[in-house]
Amino acid sequence: MNPGALVLVAMVDPASVPSTFRRKLLEWPLHVTVAPWFSVPDEDLFIQFLERNLPSEPSFESLMGEDAAFGADNEIPVTLVSNREPFAVLHNYLLEAIHGYDGVMLVNTWIRENYKPHVTHHGENRLFPGDTFMVRSLTLVRLLDEDVCEVVTSFALGAGK
């Protein structure tokens, strides 16, 4: 992944997210990826669009479903999101916005109909089937170099249901 790449995520506990963290799998704060790694030619313009438009998207409660294993060798333990629909709506909305701002998806494998919202286990730090958390914001994260990510900004979602 190239430095400067962006990703939009829903943090499980946004208040505890550090401003920078290592890219290594177990060092990411718990999150659901909503738009995987991408780039846009005018990041400021794209951020302005998100600031204007994401507040009209509803906040929602996320319900965790069954545990699963991802990766080529099923080596990545995850908990799937049971109520996939609100994440799928945001996912598709954001992919269209990225495309509309001449963005490029840097990860194309698990998007659109292949999108499976989940929270990756980080050792003992994980969510369990039946756990819930509120999605009231999305966080834009930038890859600074091969090892370090930084939080660019967060966008509040609307009041929801």
Side-chain angles (χ1 to χ4, degrees), residues 45 54 61 65 72 92 102-103 113 121-122:
L45 194 60
L54 282 179
E61 183 176 64
N92 288 320
D102 297 323
E113 63 277 352
H121 301 178
H122 296 184

Side-chain angles (χ1 to χ4, degrees), residues 6-9 32-38 91 94-95 98 105 115:
L6 301 166
V7 63
L8 276 156
V9 300
V32 174
T33 299
V34 184
W37 295 106
F38 66 93
H91 170 78
L94 292 168
L95 293 186
I98 291 164
M105 298 306 301
Y115 176 62

Side-chain angles (χ1 to χ4, degrees), residues 15-92:
S16 69
V17 175
S19 60
T20 61
F21 50 89
R22 294 185 65 201
R23 184 176 175 214
K24 291 168 70 175
L25 183 65
L26 296 182
E27 299 205 17
W28 265 87
L30 292 180
H31 68 280
V32 174
T33 299
V34 184
W37 295 106
F38 66 93
S39 65
V40 288
D42 190 334
E43 187 177 308
D44 291 336
L45 194 60
F46 183 69
I47 288 172
Q48 290 170 17
F49 168 83
L50 296 176
E51 289 171 340
R52 279 191 317 273
N53 292 284
L54 282 179
S56 64
E57 296 298 316
S59 58
F60 57 92
E61 183 176 64
S62 176
L63 172 64
M64 302 314 296
E66 62 189 29
D67 285 341
F70 286 3
D73 297 318
N74 295 320
E75 74 279 13
I76 303 170
V78 303
T79 304
L80 299 172
V81 171
S82 177
N83 59 328
R84 177 185 182 276
E85 186 63 25
F87 281 108
V89 168
L90 274 175
H91 170 78
N92 288 320

